[in-house]
Amino acid sequence: PFMESLDFPDLGLLSAQRGLSVSALQALTLFNNDFVLHHSRVLAERIGQLEAPASADSLSLQVRRACRLVWLREPSATELDALRRHAKRHGMASLCRVLFNSNEFLFVE
Protein backbone atom coordinates (compact mmCIF):
# COMPACT_ATOMS: atom_id res chain seq x y z
CA PRO A 1 0.00 0.00 0.00
CA PHE A 2 2.84 2.43 0.77
CA MET A 3 4.44 2.06 -2.64
CA GLU A 4 1.09 1.91 -4.45
CA SER A 5 0.15 5.34 -3.14
CA LEU A 6 3.47 6.62 -4.56
CA ASP A 7 2.69 5.27 -8.05
CA PHE A 8 5.07 2.31 -7.83
CA PRO A 9 4.86 0.75 -11.29
CA ASP A 10 3.59 -2.75 -11.95
CA LEU A 11 6.83 -4.63 -12.62
CA GLY A 12 5.02 -7.03 -14.92
CA LEU A 13 4.26 -4.29 -17.42
CA LEU A 14 6.73 -2.48 -19.67
CA SER A 15 6.45 1.24 -20.04
CA ALA A 16 8.65 3.70 -21.90
CA GLN A 17 7.78 6.45 -19.45
CA ARG A 18 6.52 6.33 -15.90
CA GLY A 19 3.34 8.22 -15.12
CA LEU A 20 3.46 11.12 -12.69
CA SER A 21 0.91 12.16 -10.14
CA VAL A 22 0.86 14.24 -7.00
CA SER A 23 -1.95 13.87 -4.52
CA ALA A 24 -2.84 14.61 -0.93
CA LEU A 25 -2.91 10.85 -0.26
CA GLN A 26 0.78 10.65 -1.17
CA ALA A 27 1.67 13.44 1.25
CA LEU A 28 -0.34 11.84 4.05
CA THR A 29 1.19 8.44 3.34
CA LEU A 30 4.70 9.83 3.49
CA PHE A 31 3.97 11.77 6.65
CA ASN A 32 2.24 8.98 8.60
CA ASN A 33 3.67 5.71 7.29
CA ASP A 34 5.44 3.42 9.79
CA PHE A 35 8.50 3.28 7.52
CA VAL A 36 8.93 7.06 7.62
CA LEU A 37 8.13 7.26 11.35
CA HIS A 38 10.71 4.57 12.13
CA HIS A 39 13.46 6.22 10.13
CA SER A 40 12.64 9.62 11.59
CA ARG A 41 13.13 8.19 15.09
CA VAL A 42 16.36 6.45 14.07
CA LEU A 43 17.78 9.64 12.56
CA ALA A 44 16.79 11.65 15.65
CA GLU A 45 18.55 9.11 17.88
CA ARG A 46 21.65 9.19 15.68
CA ILE A 47 21.77 12.98 15.82
CA GLY A 48 21.24 12.93 19.58
CA GLN A 49 24.24 10.64 19.97
CA LEU A 50 26.43 12.73 17.66
CA GLU A 51 25.54 16.06 19.23
CA ALA A 52 25.66 15.50 22.97
CA PRO A 53 23.65 18.04 24.99
CA ALA A 54 26.82 19.47 26.54
CA SER A 55 26.55 22.88 24.93
CA ALA A 56 23.99 25.57 25.62
CA ASP A 57 22.86 25.56 22.00
CA SER A 58 22.82 21.82 21.31
CA LEU A 59 19.36 22.00 19.69
CA SER A 60 20.68 24.30 16.97
CA LEU A 61 23.61 21.94 16.43
CA GLN A 62 21.22 19.00 16.14
CA VAL A 63 18.98 20.84 13.67
CA ARG A 64 21.99 21.83 11.57
CA ARG A 65 23.26 18.22 11.61
CA ALA A 66 19.83 16.93 10.55
CA CYS A 67 19.74 19.37 7.63
CA ARG A 68 23.24 18.39 6.53
CA LEU A 69 22.34 14.69 6.62
CA VAL A 70 18.97 15.01 4.87
CA TRP A 71 19.36 18.04 2.59
CA LEU A 72 23.15 17.80 2.19
CA ARG A 73 23.49 21.50 2.99
CA GLU A 74 23.42 23.96 5.85
CA PRO A 75 20.04 25.54 6.64
CA SER A 76 19.64 29.25 6.08
CA ALA A 77 19.23 31.45 9.16
CA THR A 78 15.47 31.64 8.58
CA GLU A 79 15.18 27.86 8.10
CA LEU A 80 17.30 27.21 11.18
CA ASP A 81 15.10 29.44 13.31
CA ALA A 82 11.86 27.82 12.11
CA LEU A 83 13.22 24.27 12.33
CA ARG A 84 14.69 24.90 15.78
CA ARG A 85 11.32 26.17 17.05
CA HIS A 86 9.61 23.10 15.59
CA ALA A 87 12.14 20.74 17.21
CA LYS A 88 11.79 22.50 20.55
CA ARG A 89 8.02 22.19 20.46
CA HIS A 90 7.59 18.73 18.87
CA GLY A 91 10.95 16.94 19.27
CA MET A 92 13.74 15.90 16.93
CA ALA A 93 11.90 12.88 15.51
CA SER A 94 9.12 15.16 14.31
CA LEU A 95 11.67 17.52 12.79
CA CYS A 96 13.33 14.63 10.95
CA ARG A 97 9.93 13.60 9.59
CA VAL A 98 9.38 17.15 8.32
CA LEU A 99 12.78 17.10 6.61
CA PHE A 100 12.05 13.71 5.00
CA ASN A 101 8.80 15.13 3.64
CA SER A 102 10.30 18.32 2.27
CA ASN A 103 10.39 18.97 -1.47
CA GLU A 104 14.15 19.34 -1.26
CA PHE A 105 14.48 15.74 -0.04
CA LEU A 106 11.80 14.18 -2.23
CA PHE A 107 12.58 15.75 -5.61
CA VAL A 108 15.84 15.99 -7.51
CA GLU A 109 16.16 19.18 -9.53
Side-chain angles (χ1 to χ4, degrees):
F2 176 67
M3 295 305 285
E4 286 176 9
S5 68
L6 300 176
D7 294 334
F8 188 74
D10 181 350
L11 298 178
L13 301 174
L14 295 176
S15 176
Q17 186 174 4
R18 182 175 171 204
L20 175 69
S21 70
V22 178
S23 71
L25 179 59
Q26 291 170 334
L28 290 171
T29 299
L30 281 172
F31 201 69
N32 296 312
N33 186 272
D34 289 337
F35 179 82
V36 176
L37 293 171
H38 169 76
H39 288 286
S40 297
R41 284 189 302 270
V42 169
L43 180 59
E45 289 170 10
R46 175 182 174 190
I47 292 168
Q49 292 170 354
L50 293 172
E51 302 293 345
S55 69
D57 200 20
S58 65
L59 187 59
S60 290
L61 292 173
Q62 290 178 4
V63 170
R64 291 179 66 199
R65 170 84 62 166
C67 289
R68 282 194 307 267
L69 290 171
V70 176
W71 289 344
L72 303 177
R73 68 168 178 86
E74 291 287 332
S76 69
T78 305
E79 291 169 335
L80 179 61
D81 183 52
L83 294 172
R84 188 178 177 285
R85 281 186 278 122
H86 181 86
K88 187 174 184 177
R89 184 171 183 194
H90 300 287
M92 279 304 295
S94 176
L95 173 74
C96 293
R97 186 169 57 158
V98 167
L99 295 177
F100 284 147
N101 281 278
S102 66
N103 280 348
E104 191 162 342
F105 180 75
L106 294 172
F107 297 100
V108 177
E109 290 187 17

Coordinates of all heavy atoms in Angstrom, one line a residue, residues 41-82:
R41 N 12.7 8.5 13.7 CA 13.1 8.2 15.1 C 14.6 7.8 15.1 O 15.4 8.2 15.9 CB 12.3 7.1 15.8 CG 10.9 7.6 16.2 CD 10.2 6.6 17.1 NE 10.0 5.3 16.4 CZ 8.9 5.0 15.7 NH1 8.0 5.8 15.5 NH2 8.8 3.8 15.1
V42 N 15.0 6.9 14.1 CA 16.4 6.4 14.1 C 17.3 7.6 13.8 O 18.4 7.7 14.4 CB 16.5 5.3 13.0 CG1 18.0 5.0 12.7 CG2 15.8 4.1 13.4
L43 N 16.9 8.5 12.9 CA 17.8 9.6 12.6 C 17.9 10.6 13.8 O 19.0 11.1 14.1 CB 17.3 10.4 11.3 CG 18.1 11.6 10.9 CD1 19.5 11.3 10.6 CD2 17.4 12.3 9.8
A44 N 16.8 10.8 14.5 CA 16.8 11.7 15.6 C 17.7 11.1 16.7 O 18.5 11.8 17.4 CB 15.4 11.8 16.2
E45 N 17.7 9.8 16.9 CA 18.5 9.1 17.9 C 20.0 9.2 17.5 O 20.9 9.5 18.3 CB 18.2 7.6 18.0 CG 16.9 7.4 18.7 CD 16.4 5.9 18.7 OE1 17.2 5.1 18.2 OE2 15.3 5.7 19.0
R46 N 20.3 9.1 16.2 CA 21.6 9.2 15.7 C 22.2 10.6 15.9 O 23.3 10.8 16.4 CB 21.7 8.9 14.2 CG 23.0 9.1 13.6 CD 23.0 8.8 12.1 NE 24.3 9.2 11.5 CZ 24.5 9.2 10.2 NH1 23.5 8.9 9.3 NH2 25.6 9.6 9.7
I47 N 21.4 11.6 15.6 CA 21.8 13.0 15.8 C 22.0 13.3 17.3 O 22.9 14.0 17.7 CB 20.7 13.9 15.2 CG1 20.8 13.8 13.7 CG2 21.0 15.4 15.6 CD1 19.6 14.4 13.0
G48 N 21.1 12.7 18.1 CA 21.2 12.9 19.6 C 22.5 12.4 20.1 O 23.1 12.9 21.0
Q49 N 23.0 11.2 19.5 CA 24.2 10.6 20.0 C 25.4 11.4 19.5 O 26.5 11.5 20.1 CB 24.3 9.2 19.5 CG 23.3 8.3 20.2 CD 23.3 6.9 19.5 OE1 23.9 6.7 18.5 NE2 22.5 6.0 20.1
L50 N 25.3 12.0 18.2 CA 26.4 12.7 17.7 C 26.6 14.1 18.3 O 27.7 14.6 18.5 CB 26.2 12.9 16.2 CG 26.3 11.7 15.3 CD1 25.9 12.0 13.9 CD2 27.7 11.1 15.3
E51 N 25.5 14.7 18.6 CA 25.5 16.1 19.2 C 25.1 16.0 20.7 O 23.9 16.1 21.0 CB 24.6 17.0 18.4 CG 25.0 17.2 17.0 CD 26.3 17.9 16.8 OE1 26.9 18.5 17.7 OE2 26.8 17.8 15.6
A52 N 26.0 15.6 21.6 CA 25.7 15.5 23.0 C 25.2 16.8 23.5 O 25.6 17.9 23.1 CB 26.9 15.0 23.8
P53 N 24.2 16.8 24.5 CA 23.6 18.0 25.0 C 24.6 18.7 26.0 O 24.2 19.2 27.0 CB 22.4 17.6 25.7 CG 22.6 16.1 26.0 CD 23.5 15.6 25.0
A54 N 25.9 18.8 25.6 CA 26.8 19.5 26.5 C 26.8 21.0 26.4 O 27.1 21.7 27.3 CB 28.2 18.9 26.3
S55 N 26.5 21.4 25.2 CA 26.6 22.9 24.9 C 25.2 23.5 25.2 O 24.2 22.9 25.2 CB 27.0 23.2 23.5 OG 26.0 22.8 22.6
A56 N 25.2 24.8 25.4 CA 24.0 25.6 25.6 C 23.1 25.6 24.4 O 21.9 25.7 24.5 CB 24.3 27.0 26.0
D57 N 23.7 25.5 23.2 CA 22.9 25.6 22.0 C 22.9 24.2 21.2 O 23.0 24.2 20.0 CB 23.4 26.7 21.1 CG 22.4 27.1 20.1 OD1 21.2 26.9 20.3 OD2 22.7 27.7 19.1
S58 N 22.7 23.1 22.0 CA 22.8 21.8 21.3 C 21.7 21.6 20.3 O 21.8 20.9 19.4 CB 22.9 20.7 22.3 OG 21.7 20.6 23.1
L59 N 20.5 22.2 20.6 CA 19.4 22.0 19.7 C 19.7 22.6 18.3 O 19.4 21.9 17.3 CB 18.1 22.6 20.3 CG 16.8 22.4 19.5 CD1 16.5 20.9 19.4 CD2 15.6 23.0 20.2
S60 N 20.3 23.7 18.3 CA 20.7 24.3 17.0 C 21.7 23.4 16.3 O 21.6 23.2 15.1 CB 21.3 25.7 17.2 OG 20.3 26.6 17.5
L61 N 22.6 22.9 17.0 CA 23.6 21.9 16.4 C 22.9 20.7 15.9 O 23.3 20.2 14.8 CB 24.7 21.5 17.5 CG 25.6 22.6 17.9 CD1 26.5 22.1 19.1 CD2 26.5 23.1 16.8
Q62 N 21.9 20.2 16.6 CA 21.2 19.0 16.1 C 20.4 19.3 14.9 O 20.4 18.5 14.0 CB 20.3 18.5 17.3 CG 21.0 17.9 18.4 CD 20.1 17.4 19.5 OE1 18.9 17.5 19.4 NE2 20.7 16.9 20.6
V63 N 19.8 20.5 14.9 CA 19.0 20.8 13.7 C 19.9 21.0 12.5 O 19.6 20.5 11.4 CB 18.2 22.1 13.9 CG1 17.6 22.7 12.7 CG2 17.1 21.9 15.0
R64 N 21.0 21.7 12.7 CA 22.0 21.8 11.6 C 22.5 20.5 11.1 O 22.6 20.3 9.9 CB 23.1 22.7 12.0 CG 22.7 24.2 12.2 CD 23.8 25.0 12.7 NE 24.8 25.1 11.6 CZ 26.0 25.5 11.8 NH1 26.5 25.8 13.0 NH2 26.8 25.6 10.8
R65 N 22.8 19.6 12.0 CA 23.3 18.2 11.6 C 22.2 17.5 10.8 O 22.5 16.9 9.8 CB 23.7 17.4 12.9 CG 23.9 16.0 12.6 CD 25.3 15.7 12.2 NE 26.3 16.1 13.1 CZ 27.5 15.7 13.1 NH1 28.0 14.9 12.2 NH2 28.4 16.2 14.0
A66 N 20.9 17.6 11.3 CA 19.8 16.9 10.5 C 19.7 17.5 9.1 O 19.6 16.7 8.2 CB 18.5 17.1 11.3
C67 N 19.8 18.8 9.0 CA 19.7 19.4 7.6 C 20.9 18.9 6.8 O 20.7 18.6 5.6 CB 19.7 20.9 7.7 SG 18.2 21.5 8.4
R68 N 22.1 18.8 7.3 CA 23.2 18.4 6.5 C 23.1 16.9 6.1 O 23.4 16.6 5.0 CB 24.5 18.6 7.3 CG 25.0 20.0 7.4 CD 26.5 20.1 7.9 NE 26.7 19.4 9.1 CZ 26.6 20.0 10.3 NH1 26.3 21.3 10.4 NH2 26.9 19.3 11.4
L69 N 22.5 16.1 7.0 CA 22.3 14.7 6.6 C 21.2 14.5 5.6 O 21.3 13.6 4.7 CB 22.1 13.9 7.9 CG 23.3 13.7 8.8 CD1 22.8 13.1 10.1 CD2 24.4 12.9 8.2
V70 N 20.1 15.2 5.7 CA 19.0 15.0 4.9 C 19.0 15.9 3.6 O 18.8 15.4 2.5 CB 17.7 15.3 5.6 CG1 16.4 15.1 4.7 CG2 17.5 14.3 6.8
W71 N 19.3 17.1 3.7 CA 19.4 18.0 2.6 C 20.7 18.2 2.0 O 20.9 18.8 0.9 CB 18.9 19.4 3.0 CG 17.4 19.5 3.3 CD1 16.4 18.7 3.0 CD2 16.8 20.6 4.0 NE1 15.2 19.1 3.4 CE2 15.4 20.4 4.0 CE3 17.3 21.8 4.5 CZ2 14.5 21.2 4.6 CZ3 16.4 22.7 5.1 CH2 15.0 22.4 5.2
L72 N 21.8 17.7 2.7 CA 23.2 17.8 2.2 C 23.6 19.2 2.1 O 24.4 19.6 1.2 CB 23.4 17.1 0.9 CG 23.0 15.6 0.9 CD1 23.2 15.0 -0.5 CD2 23.8 14.8 1.9
R73 N 23.1 20.1 2.9 CA 23.5 21.5 3.0 C 23.1 22.1 4.3 O 22.4 21.5 5.1 CB 22.8 22.3 1.9 CG 21.3 22.5 2.1 CD 20.8 23.5 1.1 NE 19.3 23.7 1.2 CZ 18.7 24.4 2.1 NH1 19.4 25.1 3.0 NH2 17.4 24.5 2.1
E74 N 23.7 23.2 4.6 CA 23.4 24.0 5.8 C 22.1 24.7 5.7 O 21.8 25.2 4.6 CB 24.5 25.0 6.1 CG 25.8 24.5 6.5 CD 25.8 23.9 7.9 OE1 25.0 24.4 8.8 OE2 26.6 23.0 8.2
P75 N 21.3 24.8 6.7 CA 20.0 25.5 6.6 C 20.3 27.0 6.7 O 21.3 27.5 7.2 CB 19.3 25.1 7.9 CG 20.3 24.7 8.9 CD 21.4 24.1 8.1
S76 N 19.5 27.8 6.0 CA 19.6 29.3 6.1 C 19.3 29.7 7.5 O 18.7 28.9 8.3 CB 18.7 29.9 5.1 OG 17.4 29.8 5.5
A77 N 19.5 30.9 7.8 CA 19.2 31.4 9.2 C 17.7 31.4 9.4 O 17.3 31.0 10.5 CB 19.7 32.9 9.3
T78 N 16.9 31.7 8.4 CA 15.5 31.6 8.6 C 15.0 30.2 8.8 O 14.2 29.9 9.6 CB 14.8 32.2 7.3 OG1 15.3 33.6 7.1 CG2 13.3 32.3 7.5
E79 N 15.5 29.3 8.0 CA 15.2 27.9 8.1 C 15.6 27.3 9.5 O 14.8 26.6 10.1 CB 15.9 27.0 7.0 CG 15.3 27.3 5.6 CD 16.2 26.7 4.5 OE1 17.4 26.4 4.8 OE2 15.6 26.4 3.5
L80 N 16.8 27.7 9.9 CA 17.3 27.2 11.2 C 16.4 27.7 12.3 O 16.1 26.9 13.2 CB 18.7 27.7 11.4 CG 19.4 27.3 12.7 CD1 19.5 25.8 12.9 CD2 20.8 27.9 12.9
D81 N 16.0 28.9 12.3 CA 15.1 29.4 13.3 C 13.8 28.7 13.3 O 13.3 28.3 14.4 CB 14.9 30.9 13.1 CG 14.0 31.5 14.2 OD1 14.4 31.4 15.4 OD2 13.0 32.2 13.8
A82 N 13.2 28.5 12.2 CA 11.9 27.8 12.1 C 12.0 26.3 12.5 O 11.2 25.8 13.3 CB 11.3 27.9 10.7

